[in-house]
Amino acid sequence: MQHLLDQMNPQQREGVLQVDGPVLLLAGAGSGKTRVITHRIAYLIQERGVAADSILAVTFTNKAAKEMGERVDKLIGHTSLAKPLIATFHSLCVRILRRDIEAMRVNGIGLTKSFAIYDENDQQAVVKQALKRLGIDDKQLKPRVALGRISWAKNHMIDPQEYFLASANPLEEKIAHIFESYKKELFKNNALDFDDLLLEAVRLLKSSSEVRERYNRRYQYLLIDEYQDTNRPQYELMKLLAGTRGNVCVVGDEDQSIYSWRGADIKNILEFEKDFPETKVIRLEQNYRSTQNILEAAGAVVKNNVQRKGKELFTTREGGSMIGYYEAPDGENEALFIADRIQTYLREAGQKEDAPRCAVLYRTNSQSRLVEEALRRYQIQYHMVGGFSFYERAEVKDLLSYLKLVQNPRDSIALGRVVNSPARGIGKTTMETLERMALSTGLSTWDAIERAIQEQLLPARALTALAGFRRLILDARAMLGSEFAETLAADAAGEEAVDESVEFVGQEENASTEDENVDTSFDTSFNFGFDFGPSEEISTIAAENSVGSDSDVDTSFDAAAFNPFAASTQKHETRVSEIKADVVAKVETSTRVDGFRAPGDPATLPELIKFLNDRSGYIKTLETEGTPEAFSRIENLKELANAAQDAQERGETLATFLDHAALVSDVDQYNADARVTMMTLHAAKGLEFPLVFLCGMEEGLFPHSRTLQDPSGLEEERRLCYVGMTRAMDTLILTRARYRRRYGSDMPEASIASRFLEEVPSRLVEDLGSPSDTRSAWNSGREYGYGGGNKKWGSRRGNDDGYGSEKHYNYEDEDQSAIGPSSSSAAKPKSGLQFGIKANTGAEGSIDNIASFFGARGQKIDRPKLEVPDQKSATGIRNGSRVRHPKYGEGTVFRREGDGDDAKITVQFAQHGVKKLVEKFAQLERL
């Protein structure tokens, strides 16, 4: 046992050894909680003799589950053939439902094990259908908004009827009706969305005592990671799986609960002891990631929250770098500063032969643009988490929809996506007719297609295209069946030309007018461009792929036998029988070759994808397009086949492959080897970097404007700041811009320093070269009236604060040698400058602004000299002037446009923000 406890601190040891009864592990950031969980599992198996497969560990991301599984495997080695189940919440629910969902079927009605999992795009497609049926304009109520409200209701376990009864306005009533239609459509399509995976698993365990007791007997020890991020369905699932034993260990940190917008409820961890009164609470407070300065700064911020149990993190890494702070004149200068610091960091790390890693974290994705441009300007490569992932690309989603349709033909969303992709001549009118038929008869769209073909309810041209599409899916499904050889033989003989009971009346006279995109040949050649097995004896009818000369099969071409629209003849029937018997006999006598499937066995996943690529004409269409983008899309389709090959080698079925594609997340795409990573603060959860930049530390941006009037929302923003700060291992740099362009405005708007800056003790902060004329963030915070509690930030330039004596780069003054030890002159703002406003600073993106930045680096930029006349005012008001307004109070002139009384003046008021006024009406008093 000792080897499991070596090099663990006392609290970690207690977390490993306390295995009976409920346990709450309050694990601070970087405190080694994953190590405790994995050693706890190993201890149960090796020391307590618990069967490995009776242990269930649940976390939130595939990355965390994989890492945890690898660590456990390394700890237990080969001592146990069985493995503990380590899964995400959603993959656990998929596993449960794939096995037992049919226990909820009543009289043959209910979801089946082959249910589809709808991703966000599929869900929006269903909502759009519901909007259309209800006569609601999707411009007035966007599908994404409706889907967000539906997801919120599901996360709080509210059904459509309850939502309707609680609705307080007509909009909510409409959403309730959409919710009901959405729910019925998913049920009809035998599909579930991500929220349903949790809800249906909970419903199954509640409704079937037999199923619930079976899982209680199987999983005797339950571990839940990141418990602070659980929502109500996940909480209910945990309680149902815990059973009467109560051997449940939850691990989490209330200070890192940042997903309330996804339904996470911080009360789950705060009130865990109420649910389990005998809970043992263990605090993991020793941090192994960050320096003491970083921990003190982050702790000082989060301690201002009320909703917390409280922890005091500490580390043996005493001291460390000060918290860097840079206050830029505008957003572009902030981005250039970040890029410049990264370049210096990468260069120094290269000289030390270290492996550099740094991250730029921001509150919203829109903040990334300027930083991206700055990094490109410096020719620094970066990796962005949260961009389009592989499985979100259009062509990949198309092929995945084909695969979903092969697995579940009644998936109307997948069918609607690919029925005319690539173009087959199946237009909007045809699909609307089929949807009306499906709605009136209660059939799925797939069944409506079959009925339309059988009863010839559509024009011949549409029937031909639909029959070809339907045969494509049926053939793909046949490839996965045990009778694949016989089906292939029948198709090879041309039997597929007669699609069930369809009679293509008058086909001869319509053939010449067929749309060129409609494939009327039904592709009897079956030249797919790949092998179905090692043997060449399974051949297509194409001349280049005909059977060898030693075959008894007559290879001469018979037009009557191979015309799919020709009437059946005795010769055709004989031909079919001969080919079918020959091919089946050769398959039966063939031998299996190691490493290959035997001819006639069900097709593999890569073969199925290659079949769909070729038979659908998708790749051919892109090849015809011939653009670089088209070739890139072809490579993506081929890469999907590679992914399927990897899945095949892991023993995955089509269903599990589709489940993986649906469950993959942004963080799963994080590249640990990337030198520079850009991501939102939410995406950074669970990661760590030697150098971290937190940019955009401004009121309305971080904390976000939506939370400024919401105390609980502000607390979550503060927790998000804590998460971002504790991602840093060695160096943390906070940045903000005094002026930032927002919402496409033609001028930058003045910003107010984030209240979180004020909450960081000033003794931990180092100024990294903020412009010498700028006003301190902490002073401006109190001036603008949002706070003022922490006065340790009150004086930034005095000798007593420890900053003035530090040398730093100044990106506004070209002569850096002038920046030295603090002096009385350095503390005085330049003439005409107050409130951090610099009259001569160029606008964001202007030549002056860029030139001033690179000029500070010793790089000269030639630019035209323009004579700009001074804008004069009879009152003497100019840029930088302090003024008083009878309504808005005191402020500072930011911009003056024009001369005389008609001049337009832009003023930043302390309590009312930026206002644009006409001088002759403004009644401004110069101070």
Side-chain angles (χ1 to χ4, degrees):
M1 180 180 72
Q2 189 59 38
H3 74 282
L4 292 176
L5 303 178
D6 285 343
Q7 298 180 350
M8 299 186 82
N9 64 47
Q11 291 73 31
Q12 290 177 330
R13 289 195 193 99
E14 188 178 9
V16 171
L17 299 175
Q18 185 68 41
V19 295
D20 295 321
V23 176
L24 171 59
L25 278 174
L26 291 176
S31 60
K33 67 179 179 65
T34 303
R35 187 182 187 198
V36 174
I37 295 173
T38 54
H39 281 67
R40 183 184 176 92
I41 294 172
Y43 173 75
L44 284 169
I45 296 171
Q46 294 183 336
E47 302 300 329
R48 295 292 294 267
V50 176
D53 56 2
S54 68
I55 300 172
L56 170 63
V58 187
T59 186
F60 275 84
T61 67
N62 295 317
K63 175 180 177 291
K66 180 181 178 182
E67 179 185 352
M68 203 176 293
E70 291 172 349
R71 290 197 190 184
V72 170
D73 287 342
K74 187 175 181 180
L75 286 172
I76 65 176
H78 302 289
T79 58
S80 173
L81 293 177
K83 301 288 185 183
L85 176 58
I86 302 174
T88 64
F89 274 102
H90 289 95
S91 62
L92 171 65
C93 291
V94 169
R95 177 187 290 260
I96 293 173
L97 295 173
R98 290 288 185 207
R99 176 174 177 174
D100 296 304
I101 193 172
E102 294 182 2
M104 294 190 290
R105 287 171 63 88
V106 179
N107 298 325
I109 299 175
L111 297 171
T112 68
K113 296 178 181 179
S114 63
F115 63 85
I117 300 175
Y118 277 9
D119 62 15
E120 185 177 357
N121 290 333
D122 298 329
Q123 296 167 42
Q124 287 196 46
V126 176
V127 171
K128 287 179 181 178
Q129 290 179 359
L131 289 171
K132 186 175 181 181
R133 291 169 184 170
L134 295 171
I136 301 174
D137 188 352
D138 61 4
K139 294 181 180 178
Q140 296 179 353
L141 178 57
K142 295 187 179 298
R144 186 181 297 274
V145 174
L147 193 59
R149 297 304 296 168
I150 292 171
S151 180
W152 178 90
K154 288 185 175 184
N155 285 329
H156 291 80
M157 302 185 77
I158 298 173
D159 62 25
Q161 292 75 23
E162 292 173 325
Y163 194 94
F164 179 80
L165 293 174
S167 58
N169 54 62
L171 176 61
E172 296 295 329
E173 291 181 3
K174 288 180 181 179
I175 291 176
H177 291 301
I178 295 168
F179 189 2
E180 178 69 21
S181 177
Y182 174 83
K183 183 177 179 180
K184 289 180 178 179
E185 186 67 18
L186 260 64
F187 183 82
K188 186 175 74 174
N189 292 347
N190 192 36
L192 298 173
D193 62 20
F194 287 102
D195 297 323
D196 289 331
L197 293 176
L198 298 168
L199 291 173
E200 291 302 302
V202 170
R203 190 164 74 92
L204 170 64
L205 295 176
K206 283 184 175 181
S207 62
S208 175
S209 59
E210 178 185 352
V211 174
R212 181 177 65 253
E213 290 169 3
R214 172 155 41 88
Y215 282 102
N216 289 157
R217 287 192 302 270
R218 175 166 185 180
Y219 299 119
Q220 300 176 22
Y221 289 88
L222 179 62
L223 296 93
I224 309 292
D225 192 18
E226 303 289 0
Y227 190 65
Q228 77 281 348
D229 292 328
T230 54
N231 57 23
R232 184 180 171 188
Q234 290 162 342
Y235 163 79
E236 294 285 348
L237 182 67
M238 180 274 297
K239 289 185 67 178
L240 289 166
L241 290 173
T244 57
R245 289 189 181 89
N247 291 332
V248 55
C249 174
V250 299
V251 185
D253 181 3
E254 80 281 8
D255 291 333
Q256 297 188 69
S257 179
I258 59 174
Y259 296 116
S260 66
W261 50 276
R262 286 199 316 214
D265 189 352
I266 192 174
K267 292 181 181 179
N268 290 347
I269 190 169
L270 294 177
E271 300 178 0
F272 181 79
E273 295 154 277
K274 292 183 180 180
D275 297 320
F276 299 90
E278 299 178 357
T279 297
K280 173 69 174 178
V281 179
I282 302 171
R283 284 176 166 81
L284 303 181
E285 296 176 312
Q286 183 171 352
N287 179 282
Y288 294 91
R289 174 189 300 153
S290 306
T291 64
Q292 188 64 37
N293 284 344
I294 293 173
L295 295 181
E296 285 189 33
V301 171
V302 79
K303 76 177 182 181
N304 290 279
N305 276 354
V306 175
Q307 290 184 304
R308 64 190 303 258
K309 286 182 170 292
K311 292 176 299 299
E312 292 292 336
L313 297 187
F314 66 93
T315 181
T316 57
R317 300 184 64 195
E318 294 294 336
S321 301
M322 302 282 279
I323 309 301
Y325 175 72
Y326 181 72
E327 186 171 308
D330 55 39
E332 185 182 38
N333 188 281
E334 178 190 38
L336 290 169
F337 166 80
I338 292 172
D340 188 75
R341 295 286 297 197
I342 290 176
Q343 184 185 63
T344 302
Y345 167 71
L346 296 177
R347 182 172 60 249
E348 292 177 352
Q351 294 172 353
K352 297 176 182 177
E353 298 184 355
D354 292 337
R357 288 189 308 113
C358 64
V360 181
L361 308 182
Y362 35 81
R363 177 62 180 83
T364 63
N365 276 309
S366 62
Q367 294 174 249
S368 68
R369 180 183 64 85
L370 288 173
V371 181
E372 282 190 85
E373 291 176 357
L375 291 174
R376 289 184 184 130
R377 187 177 296 174
Y378 274 75
Q379 297 182 342
I380 298 173
Q381 294 184 348
Y382 60 90
H383 171 71
M384 177 173 287
V385 175
F388 278 112
S389 70
F390 177 78
Y391 290 101
E392 289 297 318
R393 294 168 186 166
E395 62 277 6
V396 174
K397 290 185 71 68
D398 283 347
L399 199 53
L400 288 174
S401 293
Y402 272 112
L403 293 173
K404 289 180 181 180
L405 210 54
V406 171
Q407 182 195 25
N408 177 19
R410 291 174 177 79
D411 185 343
S412 62
I413 299 303
L415 188 149
R417 183 179 180 99
V418 298
V419 69
N420 199 42
S421 180
R424 297 183 176 86
I426 302 174
K428 181 179 179 181
T429 302
T430 299
M431 291 307 300
E432 288 178 346
T433 302
L434 290 170
E435 289 172 3
R436 285 197 299 270
M437 186 188 306
L439 185 61
S440 61
T441 60
L443 297 173
S444 67
T445 308
W446 174 263
D447 293 330
I449 290 175
E450 180 182 13
R451 183 170 178 179
I453 292 173
Q454 289 176 345
E455 299 179 14
Q456 299 187 41
L457 302 177
L458 294 168
R461 175 178 174 178
L463 288 174
T464 301
L466 288 171
F469 174 75
R470 190 167 184 274
R471 172 52 58 189
L472 165 64
I473 302 303
L474 291 175
D475 287 345
R477 286 174 62 81
M479 291 176 67
L480 298 179
S482 58
E483 299 177 353
F484 174 47
E486 186 173 353
T487 304
L488 179 63
D491 288 346
E495 196 172 78
E496 82 283 4
V498 184
D499 186 13
E500 306 205 7
S501 60
V502 184
E503 293 180 10
F504 295 93
V505 181
Q507 193 68 46
E508 294 80 8
E509 54 265 33
N510 290 332
S512 61
T513 60
E514 284 294 320
D515 183 76
E516 61 181 1
N517 290 325
V518 180
D519 182 10
T520 59
S521 67
F522 291 85
D523 197 6
T524 54
S525 67
F526 285 90
N527 181 15
F528 306 138
F530 62 96
D531 296 330
F532 286 102
S535 173
E536 295 181 356
E537 294 175 333
I538 296 184
S539 176
T540 65
I541 306 302
E544 64 270 27
N545 294 324
S546 59
V547 294
S549 58
D550 58 338
S551 173
D552 294 333
V553 180
D554 182 8
T555 60
S556 60
F557 178 77
D558 187 327
F562 289 94
N563 182 359
F565 304 108
S568 297
T569 63
Q570 183 65 36
K571 182 175 181 179
H572 175 70
E573 293 174 355
T574 302
R575 178 70 171 166
V576 169
S577 299
E578 289 175 353
I579 294 179
K580 183 183 293 186
D582 181 78
V583 173
V584 172
K586 291 184 177 182
V587 167
E588 291 176 346
T589 59
S590 64
T591 58
R592 182 182 298 274
V593 178
D594 290 341
F596 298 88
R597 65 169 177 81
D601 281 359
T604 63
L605 283 176
E607 287 172 343
L608 180 62
I609 289 177
K610 292 176 183 178
F611 168 86
L612 291 169
N613 275 336
D614 292 332
R615 177 77 176 274
S616 68
Y618 206 122
I619 285 183
K620 185 177 181 180
T621 300
L622 293 172
E623 287 175 341
T624 303
E625 184 178 329
T627 63
E629 180 183 1
F631 288 121
S632 177
R633 295 177 68 188
I634 291 173
E635 291 175 359
N636 290 335
L637 291 172
K638 292 180 178 179
E639 182 60 28
L640 185 63
N642 295 337
Q645 183 63 52
D646 293 338
Q648 186 79 26
E649 292 174 358
R650 293 192 299 267
E652 293 184 8
T653 63
L654 174 59
T656 52
F657 178 66
L658 290 174
D659 290 347
H660 170 77
L663 295 171
V664 71
S665 66
D666 283 339
V667 174
D668 292 332
Q669 303 302 318
Y670 164 66
N671 180 5
D673 296 326
R675 301 201 306 169
V676 181
T677 301
M678 297 178 59
M679 65 177 79
T680 64
L681 284 154
H682 284 99
K685 176 81 178 299
L687 304 177
E688 59 183 32
F689 305 88
L691 170 63
V692 169
F693 294 87
L694 254 63
C695 58
M697 300 291 291
E698 301 145 31
E699 289 288 296
L701 193 56
F702 190 36
H704 198 279
S705 58
R706 290 194 301 263
T707 67
L708 296 180
Q709 304 301 320
D710 177 15
S712 62
L714 272 174
E715 289 213 349
E716 180 155 330
E717 291 289 293
R718 187 174 280 109
R719 291 193 293 268
L720 189 59
C721 183
Y722 170 81
V723 167
M725 295 174 76
T726 53
R727 298 313 94 195
M729 300 167 64
D730 304 317
T731 305
L732 171 65
I733 297 176
L734 311 176
T735 67
R736 66 162 290 224
R738 287 180 285 127
Y739 291 90
R740 191 178 296 275
R741 194 180 300 280
R742 302 175 192 268
Y743 314 119
S745 60
D746 60 352
M747 55 177 286
E749 299 179 8
S751 69
I752 301 174
S754 170
R755 66 192 67 198
F756 304 147
L757 290 174
E758 182 183 343
E759 294 168 354
V760 178
S762 60
R763 61 183 174 80
L764 300 176
V765 180
E766 174 188 11
D767 193 322
L768 296 180
S770 301
S772 59
D773 64 303
T774 191
R775 208 173 63 142
S776 66
W778 43 96
N779 271 344
S780 63
R782 290 200 303 278
E783 177 72 25
Y784 289 122
Y786 65 71
N790 188 349
K791 297 189 178 182
K792 288 181 287 186
W793 288 69
S795 175
R796 181 166 131 203
R797 292 181 182 80
N799 290 330
D800 59 341
D801 64 7
Y803 304 146
S805 61
E806 295 290 334
K807 282 193 174 183
H808 59 270
Y809 288 111
N810 188 300
Y811 289 83
E812 296 300 307
D813 297 323
E814 294 198 14
D815 185 5
Q816 292 183 12
S817 61
I819 306 298
S822 177
S823 63
S824 58
S825 61
K828 296 178 181 179
K830 297 178 182 178
S831 176
L833 295 177
Q834 300 278 348
F835 285 85
I837 296 173
K838 183 175 181 180
N840 296 325
T841 298
E844 180 179 331
S846 69
I847 294 178
D848 285 335
N849 189 13
I850 296 172
S852 66
F853 178 87
F854 285 101
R857 309 296 294 159
Q859 304 175 30
K860 294 184 178 181
I861 296 180
D862 294 330
R863 56 187 187 276
K865 300 294 184 180
L866 300 178
E867 295 295 333
V868 181
D870 292 336
Q871 296 173 341
K872 300 178 181 179
S873 167
T875 60
I877 296 175
R878 63 184 64 191
N879 291 348
S881 296
R882 292 280 294 153
V883 295
R884 180 185 290 114
H885 188 272
K887 178 179 178 181
Y888 301 127
E890 294 184 6
T892 303
V893 176
F894 168 65
R895 176 179 293 180
R896 178 184 177 84
E897 303 171 70
D899 292 325
D901 291 342
D902 291 328
K904 295 178 181 178
I905 300 177
T906 303
V907 185
Q908 166 70 51
F909 293 101
Q911 301 294 334
H912 297 275
V914 177
K915 301 293 181 183
K916 198 167 188 177
L917 310 168
V918 177
E919 183 173 4
K920 66 181 177 182
F921 301 120
Q923 303 179 37
L924 292 174
E925 176 187 355
R926 188 165 184 259
L927 300 178

